[in-house]
Amino acid sequence: MTEQPAPLSHQPAQTVGGFSERELIARISARFPSRPDWLLVGIGDDAAVVEPERNRAEVLSVDCVVDGVHFDRAFVPPDAIGHRALAVNLSDLAAMGASPRLALLSMAVPSDLPVADFDAIVDGMATLADRHRIPVIGGNLTRTPGPLSIDVTVIGTIKRRQALTRSGARPGDELYVTGTVGAAAAGLQRLRKSGGDASPDDAAAGRYLRPEPRLRMGILLARNRAATACIDTSDGLADAVHQLAGASGVGATIDADALPLDPDARDRYRTTGTIPDDVLSSDDYELLFTVRPRQRRRLEPVARQAGLAVTRIGACTSDRQVVATHTGAGRVVTSPLGGGYRHFR
């Protein structure tokens, strides 16, 4: 008589609720092993202790990403959640022209989160941190009955008086943007439709899931004094233009025909003659910056060293209006530029 194989057991996936806080912190610590000489006290104590970097000013930023608001676990893989949580902060440092130095991680975690997902979130963040040589030196971990929430604080450094801000533009300054516009919006649309099954070769989906902060570009713009003002497009190009113009006390005219649109966004623009709202609010994490016309010659070597395309998309004006122009039916049409993404209405 042939022996029958034992039935397969279907054990439920382990969740973070089955681990103590100390055990979960140990899992995080194991993925962030680097300890630079200037880190005097790291993960495991009540607070971290670091030595300041000589002759450098510190640049600090904090951002929070929340399930159901900034990402959706239904179609965003856990490692991409971790990547995005750190990338949004690094993009802020890029906009200031700062070099990243360290990060702090705080997580509010539902008890039913699979521990495999927890590990993947940490791994996605660690992979990006490793790439930019940023140690995660401490933070906080707590349980929550609500959605998964991840706070990251980053500290960067920059030479005194080199920090880029939103307020340095003047009328006549030219507006530039790095990379392309609208890729993340196209990627998000595909991910929603496919339930997260977008092709690994789908560049737009990749731009949404794992945005690449433009750190090298920001650092070079600041170091070479090539830009007068700068902001990232984490809330979309339209919001960035409005924010920069408002902080600088100028207006802006955007040439819609000059925008370096993602191919999907370009096709829709050609069909409708207007820039779709989701393209204007696409969280591409590019840099929008201004350049004095007489300093334009500094920009080409900066872009070449950064290995990044830059496109002139308009200019700052003195009349405080923020508008877009495009050519239709043989004439130039001017209309107000939309406001982009808003966290609060």
Side-chain angles (χ1 to χ4, degrees), residues 116-162:
D117 287 2
F118 177 88
D119 289 344
I121 290 169
V122 175
D123 191 66
M125 184 179 299
T127 298
L128 182 61
D130 290 348
R131 190 187 313 159
H132 294 286
R133 299 180 181 178
I134 308 164
V136 174
I137 65 169
N140 180 60
L141 185 65
T142 189
R143 183 176 60 185
T144 178
L148 171 66
S149 177
I150 306 172
D151 288 87
V152 176
T153 298
V154 291
I155 296 179
T157 66
I158 195 169
K159 285 187 176 180
R160 294 178 181 271
R161 294 181 293 278
Q162 278 194 7

Side-chain angles (χ1 to χ4, degrees), residues 3-288:
E3 184 177 351
Q4 297 296 316
L8 294 175
S9 62
H10 296 281
Q11 296 293 333
Q14 283 186 304
T15 65
V16 297
F19 291 78
S20 68
E21 179 184 3
R22 185 177 300 176
E23 290 171 328
L24 292 174
I25 291 175
R27 299 178 82 92
I28 295 174
S29 300
R31 192 57 185 86
F32 295 105
S34 61
R35 189 182 180 102
D37 294 339
W38 47 261
L39 177 59
L40 305 182
V41 178
I43 295 176
D45 223 300
D46 288 318
V49 181
V50 302
E51 288 183 340
E53 191 169 353
R54 295 183 61 185
N55 302 317
R56 301 277 287 187
E58 292 186 332
V59 183
L60 296 84
S61 181
V62 60
D63 262 301
C64 176
V65 294
V66 180
D67 187 15
V69 178
H70 304 96
F71 62 89
D72 190 332
R73 286 171 57 201
F75 57 81
V76 177
D79 68 300
I81 295 171
H83 177 109
R84 287 175 60 84
L86 178 58
V88 298
N89 287 272
L90 297 183
S91 187
D92 287 336
L93 293 186
M96 303 294 291
S99 300
R101 193 176 192 221
L102 61 87
L104 295 163
L105 167 63
S106 178
M107 297 178 69
V109 186
S111 296
D112 62 355
L113 180 74
V115 72
D117 287 2
F118 177 88
D119 289 344
I121 290 169
V122 175
D123 191 66
M125 184 179 299
T127 298
L128 182 61
D130 290 348
R131 190 187 313 159
H132 294 286
R133 299 180 181 178
I134 308 164
V136 174
I137 65 169
N140 180 60
L141 185 65
T142 189
R143 183 176 60 185
T144 178
L148 171 66
S149 177
I150 306 172
D151 288 87
V152 176
T153 298
V154 291
I155 296 179
T157 66
I158 195 169
K159 285 187 176 180
R160 294 178 181 271
R161 294 181 293 278
Q162 278 194 7
L164 296 169
T165 68
R166 304 175 181 185
S167 59
R170 299 176 185 171
D173 285 3
E174 298 171 337
L175 279 158
Y176 289 82
V177 69
T178 61
T180 61
V181 177
L188 176 58
Q189 187 178 63
R190 289 176 188 165
L191 288 164
R192 281 175 172 162
K193 288 182 177 179
S194 67
D197 292 331
S199 166
D201 299 326
D202 190 327
R207 285 287 303 278
Y208 173 76
L209 292 173
R210 298 172 184 84
E212 187 60 41
R214 303 307 192 183
L215 283 164
R216 178 69 172 161
M217 186 68 183
I219 292 168
L220 290 171
L221 285 172
R223 184 181 299 167
N224 292 277
R225 302 184 185 277
T228 55
C230 188
I231 184 174
D232 77 336
T233 64
S234 55
D235 289 327
L237 177 68
D239 177 80
V241 173
H242 280 280
Q243 295 279 4
L244 188 150
S248 295
V250 299
T253 298
I254 301 300
D255 180 0
D257 298 325
L259 293 179
L261 297 175
D262 174 79
D264 287 342
R266 188 184 305 119
D267 291 342
R268 293 163 62 195
Y269 171 56
R270 286 172 176 168
T271 301
T272 63
T274 58
I275 310 171
D277 289 341
D278 63 337
V279 172
L280 289 174
S281 60
S282 179
D283 52 341
D284 296 307
Y285 294 94
E286 299 291 351
L287 295 181
L288 173 79

Side-chain angles (χ1 to χ4, degrees), residues 242 252 280 321-325 333-339:
H242 280 280
L280 289 174
Q321 295 185 64
V322 178
V323 300
T325 65
V333 179
T334 302
S335 59
L337 184 68

